[in-house]
Amino acid sequence: MVPDSPADALGSDAPGLRDLLVEIVRARHALAAEAHLVSESRYALGFGSQWRDLQDDTRDALKDRGFRSCNLAPGGHEIPVVNDCLVYVWRVPNSPNAVSEFASSPTRRNGFTTAPLDPALWEPSLSAAQEPTQDPPDAGEVGFVLRVVGDSMPVVLVMVESTPRQLQSIEWAVAVLDGEGKVELRGQESIWEPEPVADGNASDVASFDSGSPVEPKVEAREQEGSGPDV
């Protein structure tokens, strides 16, 4: 059974992981954008290579919190595991078919057939409480269910869209493969987007795309009168 959303897959770890991912991606984007600016490069190839740093940053941050990772062959990508789910952070290329073609590489495709890790005596948690559980058998309950009913871990795909100028969005979803090896997303959700830019000239005038604009009414003020000195 494949979960329908990242929240279903990650259980109580979802809110904490969401906040951590946003922090990691924003920090890495800032470094990459600054490096691109300093280099004065005319090309974005170097900026686009940050996907490896994003994976390493995520793995290290979760490892520091006690989470394990899984090594995907043949590329050797070390992908962190949270609540029996692979958390794959990915900077989306500028291509309309990028998501559906995500599993075109053997390494990424192997992520969809990776067996759950062996159960551990203690499972870390990213829940807001951050307190040791008083009842160990209940820890990782959702993960236990997934482990029983499935032979591979769900893939939570974290999709980062950015340019050297701006981090545009961070979304996540549960990725699944269809019969043709194309990736479909379940429960796709935005977890971060830039704040709207304040516009001092903004008004309450609604835009229109059909019909004719209504001209504003102009009325003379009563004190103006109609004399020649007006």
Side-chain angles (χ1 to χ4, degrees):
M1 181 181 66
V2 179
D4 291 326
S5 69
D8 290 342
L10 298 165
S12 61
D13 287 320
L17 180 60
R18 179 190 58 213
D19 293 343
L20 181 62
L21 289 170
V22 169
E23 179 182 344
I24 292 170
V25 173
R26 293 187 69 184
R28 175 54 57 183
H29 170 80
L31 291 172
E34 182 180 2
H36 182 80
L37 180 64
V38 171
S39 70
E40 298 183 353
S41 173
R42 297 175 176 82
Y43 310 98
L45 295 177
F47 179 82
S49 65
Q50 66 176 282
W51 65 272
R52 289 302 300 268
D53 286 311
L54 285 171
Q55 287 186 357
D56 292 347
D57 292 348
T58 306
R59 177 205 60 206
D60 292 345
L62 288 169
K63 183 178 292 185
D64 290 344
R65 290 162 174 79
F67 289 88
R68 296 179 288 172
S69 58
C70 186
N71 199 297
L72 298 185
H77 301 169
E78 195 173 352
I79 306 302
V81 176
V82 176
N83 202 45
D84 279 346
C85 299
L86 285 176
V87 180
Y88 199 109
V89 181
W90 177 50
R91 182 175 179 271
V92 183
N94 186 21
S95 167
N97 298 322
V99 173
S100 64
E101 301 293 340
F102 172 78
S104 58
S105 79
T107 302
R108 293 175 182 170
R109 190 161 54 247
N110 283 338
F112 292 91
T113 57
T114 302
L117 302 176
D118 292 334
L121 294 177
W122 175 80
E123 295 289 349
S125 174
L126 289 168
S127 64
Q130 291 290 328
E131 294 179 355
T133 176
Q134 300 299 319
D135 192 358
D138 288 341
E141 181 179 355
V142 175
F144 175 76
V145 174
L146 295 174
R147 188 183 304 122
V148 170
V149 300
D151 57 0
S152 62
M153 288 189 282
V155 177
V156 175
L157 187 60
V158 183
M159 297 162 285
V160 179
E161 294 192 1
S162 64
T163 69
R165 290 180 177 273
Q166 184 185 40
L167 178 60
Q168 297 172 316
S169 68
I170 308 173
E171 297 180 319
W172 68 4
V174 175
V176 296
L177 285 182
D178 64 12
E180 299 179 349
K182 304 297 183 184
V183 169
E184 297 177 348
L185 302 178
R186 293 187 179 184
Q188 184 174 357
E189 179 187 7
S190 174
I191 60 174
W192 181 88
E193 57 186 11
E195 295 288 339
V197 178
D199 186 356
N201 296 323
S203 68
D204 295 332
V205 178
S207 61
F208 64 92
D209 57 5
S210 61
S212 301
V214 178
E215 296 182 358
K217 295 181 179 179
V218 179
E219 297 178 353
R221 292 181 298 180
E222 294 181 358
Q223 65 270 26
E224 289 180 344
S226 57
D229 296 333
V230 173

